[in-house]
């Protein structure tokens, strides 16, 4: 498992996709930097205080960027090995197939969490606002939870619809995790975003610049329920992926 | 002791395309050559043996166990795929070490095993270079080393000589022989007859997803009794010997190559002919300088079999 973890990290570094990932991760920093340069943030801070900045960071990272980076890598968790015809080395060794999935999933999720958190921390520094450690921690937990959960969801998607994983994943992200999760009604409890947001809100312990009636519907899951929901979503999707990998024949190489 | 490999009614379909068709056979441990032209079903059979595919019908056992999703059994096998696939950013040593670890070896043991395996295939010199800089032959040797790193009981080598230079070819052939002498079993596939013939005399001939014949080349030849043997005789009086042999019941035809001074004898009973030939020669004072049967080569048997002879 350790070797697979190491190999997956090396592969992440060696692929062209890394440049797309770095571009994604630098976007919020550039965006916040541009706002600062334009003097816009000062106005925002005067009007709504640090809470607006927190919401911006939250929307930028756990709710948008984490979905994109998890889709970029999660949907092709095994596809890269299939494309390079190296899957054969993983599936013909004394290595249960579920361990192959688990090793690659863990390495990918950890790498995405670390890199995205690093980007968020830079953004946090660029904002130069007195958010405090609790807000940073809330964002860090939400980013980590998002990277792990969305990578699990998109790895399943990549196995179910390998050719159309990216468009289907974008559709899922927009419809479910952005739109549906923002509806202040029970239906948003079907989304991962709802639980991540509730957890982050609880950790940050700040008041949001919205009417409390609206806020209650968006962040009302208690922390235990939120953590459980995130674990269940990740666990169920990973188990389904493991089952698919276990049962399916894979195009390990070519020829009859 | 469990058979190396056994299958019963083994069939694999890719949709409507037949990969292997109703295969039933049993192989004892040792070195076996799997021969057949491209598309004959060699790769499908190898994928079934190495647990990459599940049979559509029938049963397959390797060392008495089903290889599909059987990591423990796969740990006893070393597989060298035909296609050229690597994690190119790794060095040869890292690549083989990583695969040793995937086979359940501790990191340090895997590294030692990798050095040893790379040494055996003659890859020590370039093992610290990234694989992306390797030639085809170097890649082939590295691929072979990863199959050896965990000291498997069975090696499955899919076209292992492809892309190697003559020296590399010889070394790999010798290595297969050494592994056999160490008690390892090897299944080596190829579409080039003489390559496999140099490594083993036990063959599986596969074509159209079916095993055409199995056994050593002489057994196969015996099975194909109806195939006429062509025996080449070089002697000082070919015309006289030809006249004598036409009276022999075992002889079906005689051709004389005047230019080369060779006599080609066609027979279905070579043993009988080999038995009586010295007597004819002695009686007529004919000196035989060369005697051989080209049909003993696997090429001839295979050509006959796939050419619709059966």
């Amino acid at each position: 498992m350790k070797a697979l973890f190491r190999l997956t990290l090396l592969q992440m570094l060696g692929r062209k996709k890394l440049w797309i990932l770095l571009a994604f991760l630098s976007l919020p920093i550039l965006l916040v930097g541009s706002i600062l340069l334009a003097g816009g943030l000062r106005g925002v801070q005067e009007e709504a205080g640090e809470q607006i900045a927190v919401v911006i960071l939250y929307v930028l990272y756990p709710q948008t960027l984490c979905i994109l980076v998890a889709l970029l890598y999660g949907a092709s968790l095994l596809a890269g090995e299939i494309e390079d015809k190296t899957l054969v080395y993983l599936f013909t060794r004394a290595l249960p197939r579920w361990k192959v999935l688990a090793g690659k999933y863990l390495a990918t999720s950890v790498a995405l969490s670390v890199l995205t958190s690093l980007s968020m921390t830079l953004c946090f520094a660029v904002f130069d606002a007195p958010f405090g450690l609790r807000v940073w921690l809330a964002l860090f937990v939400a980013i980590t939870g998002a990277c792990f959960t969305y990578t699990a969801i998109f790895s399943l998607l990549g196995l179910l619809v390998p050719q159309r994983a990216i468009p289907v994943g974008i559709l899922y992200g927009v419809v479910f995790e952005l739109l549906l999760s923002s509806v202040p009604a029970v239906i948003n409890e079907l989304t991962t975003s709802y639980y991540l947001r509730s957890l982050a809100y609880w950790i940050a312990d700040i008041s949001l610049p919205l009417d409390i009636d609206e806020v209650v519907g968006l962040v009302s899951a208690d922390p235990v329920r939120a953590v459980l929901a995130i674990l269940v979503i990740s666990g169920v999707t990973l188990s389904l992926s493991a089952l698919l990998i276990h049962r399916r024949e894979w195009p390990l190489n070519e020829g009859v | 002791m469990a058979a190396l490999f056994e299958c019963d009614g083994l069939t694999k379909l890719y949709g409507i395309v037949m990969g292997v068709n109703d295969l039933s056979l049993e192989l004892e441990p040792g070195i076996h050559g799997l021969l057949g032209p491209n598309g004959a079903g060699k790769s499908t059979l190898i994928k079934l043996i190495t647990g990459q595919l599940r049979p559509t019908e029938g049963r397959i056992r390797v060392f008495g166990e089903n290889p599909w999703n059987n990591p423990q059994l796969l740990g006893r096998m070393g597989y060298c795929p035909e296609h050229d696939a690597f994690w190119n950013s790794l060095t040869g040593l890292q690549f083989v070490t990583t695969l040793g670890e995937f086979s359940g070896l501790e990191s340090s043991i895997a590294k030692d095993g990798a050095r040893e395996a790379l040494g055996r295939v003659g890859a020590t010199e370039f093992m610290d270079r990234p694989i992306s800089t390797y030639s085809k032959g170097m890649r082939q040797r590295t691929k072979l080393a990863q199959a050896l790193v965990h000291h498997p009981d069975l090696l499955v080598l899919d076209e292992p000589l492809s892309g190697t230079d003559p020296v590399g070819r010889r070394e790999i052939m010798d290595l297969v022989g050494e592994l056999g002498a160490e008690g390892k079993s090897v299944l080596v596939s190829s579409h080039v007859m003489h390559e496999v013939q140099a490594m083993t005399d036990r063959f599986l001939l596969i074509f159209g997803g079916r095993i055409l014949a199995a056994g050593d080349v002489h057994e196969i030849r015996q099975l194909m009794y109806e195939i006429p043997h062509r025996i080449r005789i070089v002697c000082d009086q070919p015309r006289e010997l030809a006249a004598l042999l036409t009276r022999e019941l075992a002889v079906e035809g005689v051709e004389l190559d005047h230019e080369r001074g060779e006599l080609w004898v066609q027979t279905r009973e070579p043993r009988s002919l080999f038995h009586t030939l010295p007597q004819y020669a002695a009686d007529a004072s004919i000196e035989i300088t060369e005697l051989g049967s080209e049909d003993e080569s696997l090429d001839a048997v295979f050509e006959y079999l796939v050419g619709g002879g059966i």
Side-chain angles (χ1 to χ4, degrees):
Chain A
M1 193 81 122
K2 206 169 72 181
L4 190 59
F5 193 93
R6 198 175 55 227
L7 178 71
T8 307
L9 291 182
L10 277 170
Q11 283 175 294
M12 283 182 84
L13 290 174
R15 287 190 199 279
K16 286 175 188 160
K17 233 191 294 184
L18 182 69
W19 295 106
I20 302 174
L21 175 69
L22 293 177
F24 276 152
L25 295 179
S26 56
L27 274 178
I29 302 165
L30 292 175
L31 186 71
V32 169
S34 306
I35 292 171
L36 277 174
L37 283 175
L41 185 68
R42 199 159 297 282
V44 171
Q45 279 179 319
E46 280 170 10
E47 284 174 21
E50 68 184 37
Q51 293 91 342
I52 289 290
V54 172
V55 171
I56 289 173
L57 284 179
Y58 188 87
V59 171
L60 278 176
Y61 281 97
Q63 202 153 9
T64 308
L65 209 60
C66 288
I67 294 175
L68 288 174
V69 297
L71 180 60
L72 186 68
Y73 280 93
S76 58
L77 213 58
L78 287 181
E81 303 288 354
I82 293 172
E83 201 178 304
D84 297 344
K85 297 179 185 174
T86 43
L87 192 64
V88 68
Y89 294 120
L90 302 176
F91 283 0
T92 55
R93 316 301 287 202
L95 196 62
R97 291 184 176 196
W98 70 264
K99 276 195 177 176
V100 173
L101 174 75
K104 293 190 79 66
Y105 165 74
L106 280 177
T108 306
S109 303
V110 167
L112 292 179
S113 302
V114 169
L115 290 173
T116 313
S117 297
L118 202 66
S119 166
M120 179 272 288
T121 306
L122 282 173
C123 221
F124 210 81
V126 171
F127 249 128
D128 194 25
F131 298 137
L133 192 63
R134 281 190 80 116
V135 172
W136 182 88
L137 189 66
L139 285 166
F140 173 73
V141 169
I143 284 171
T144 305
C147 285
F148 275 77
T149 313
Y150 291 131
T151 302
I153 291 170
F154 293 132
S155 70
L156 177 62
L157 196 65
L159 295 172
L160 290 172
V161 284
Q163 307 298 325
R164 294 181 297 277
I166 297 291
V168 172
I170 289 173
L171 194 69
Y172 163 83
V174 172
V175 173
F176 253 71
E177 302 300 340
L178 287 177
L179 298 178
L180 210 60
S181 77
S182 304
V183 175
V186 180
I187 198 162
N188 69 14
E189 293 186 20
L190 293 173
T191 68
T192 305
S193 204
Y194 166 75
Y195 298 102
L196 290 169
R197 197 168 49 215
S198 296
L199 191 61
Y201 180 64
W202 179 78
I203 296 170
D205 193 26
I206 56 167
S207 57
L208 291 173
L210 296 166
D211 290 341
I212 194 70
D213 291 344
E214 286 178 83
V215 170
V216 165
L218 295 173
V219 290
S220 55
D222 66 69
V224 175
R225 194 166 141 241
V227 169
L228 275 178
I230 290 164
L231 289 175
V232 166
I233 293 168
S234 304
V236 168
T237 46
L238 273 179
S239 302
L240 287 173
S241 296
L243 193 68
L244 275 178
I245 287 174
H246 182 79
R247 293 184 61 85
R248 260 195 206 168
E249 289 174 342
W250 295 92
L252 304 187
N253 49 39
E254 291 163 354
V256 174
Chain B
M1 190 179 184
L4 171 67
F5 161 71
E6 54 187 313
C7 62
D8 184 19
L10 183 67
T11 300
K12 181 65 194 175
L13 291 167
Y14 301 98
I16 56 163
V17 178
M18 188 71 80
V20 294
N21 183 9
D22 196 21
L23 250 60
S24 295
L25 75 127
E26 187 174 322
L27 292 184
E28 293 305 313
I31 303 175
H32 299 272
L34 180 61
L35 278 159
N38 291 329
K42 301 190 299 290
S43 292
T44 300
L45 183 58
I46 282 179
K47 285 178 199 170
L48 286 161
I49 291 170
T50 53
Q52 299 174 53
L53 294 176
R54 216 173 3 195
T56 308
E57 273 178 40
R59 196 179 76 105
I60 179 167
R61 292 287 179 271
V62 180
F63 295 124
E65 291 182 51
N66 183 358
W68 171 254
N69 263 330
N70 188 341
Q72 209 172 352
L73 176 64
L74 293 175
R76 294 181 65 190
M77 291 190 220
Y79 172 52
C80 176
E82 180 188 3
H83 63 274
D84 196 44
F86 293 92
W87 295 296
N88 282 314
S89 58
L90 303 186
T91 65
L93 181 61
Q94 286 171 333
F95 177 75
V96 179
T97 304
T98 301
L99 288 169
E101 288 179 73
F102 289 170
S103 295
L105 302 179
E106 289 292 325
S107 185
S108 59
I109 297 170
K111 196 162 189 176
D112 290 344
R115 284 183 195 282
E116 184 197 328
L118 286 158
R120 281 196 89 165
V121 300
T124 308
E125 205 179 308
F126 50 85
M127 70 182 184
D128 291 316
R129 273 169 45 192
I131 295 173
S132 55
T133 65
Y134 284 8
S135 68
K136 183 89 199 293
M138 290 171 177
R139 292 163 83 89
Q140 197 67 19
R141 284 168 192 253
T142 306
K143 221 161 58 176
L144 194 57
Q146 64 78 29
L148 295 171
V149 63
H150 54 298
H151 301 285
D153 297 323
L154 167 63
L155 267 163
V156 182
L157 312 177
D158 201 352
E159 304 274 359
L161 303 176
S162 121
T164 51
D165 56 35
V167 177
R169 223 163 254 257
R170 185 71 261 162
E171 286 173 359
I172 292 172
M173 285 176 186
D174 291 345
L175 176 64
V176 169
E178 280 171 31
L179 291 165
E182 288 168 17
K184 308 278 186 197
S185 291
V186 185
L187 180 66
V188 55
S189 94
S190 179
H191 61 277
V192 183
M193 317 291 171
H194 66 87
E195 287 180 353
V196 180
Q197 214 170 352
M199 290 185 261
T200 181
D201 60 358
R202 282 187 280 187
F203 305 99
L204 289 175
L205 304 186
I206 188 167
F207 185 72
R210 285 179 177 275
I211 295 288
L212 295 179
D216 72 32
V217 70
H218 305 289
E219 284 170 356
I220 292 168
R221 200 68 184 76
Q222 204 60 43
L223 283 171
M224 301 302 118
Y225 178 73
E226 69 272 27
I227 309 171
H229 288 241
R230 274 167 58 83
I231 293 167
R232 176 176 164 268
I233 304 170
V234 180
C235 60
D236 59 347
Q237 300 168 63
R239 193 180 294 272
E240 287 72 14
L241 185 60
L244 288 170
L245 288 175
T246 48
R247 294 180 214 152
E248 173 62 40
L249 278 177
V251 172
E252 294 190 344
V254 178
E255 288 170 41
L256 196 58
D257 186 335
H258 292 285
E259 275 184 26
R260 295 184 180 179
E262 290 174 356
L263 193 61
W264 286 93
V265 182
Q266 196 163 306
T267 177
R268 288 178 196 274
E269 296 172 54
R271 284 184 188 177
S272 163
L273 182 69
F274 288 137
H275 185 72
T276 53
L277 190 61
Q279 193 59 50
Y280 283 119
D283 291 350
S285 302
I286 297 169
E287 190 183 349
I288 295 175
T289 50
E290 283 180 46
L291 180 67
S293 167
E294 285 207 342
D295 284 319
E296 288 295 296
S297 84
L298 194 54
D299 260 327
V301 176
F302 196 75
E303 249 172 53
Y304 177 81
L305 292 172
V306 301
I310 56 170

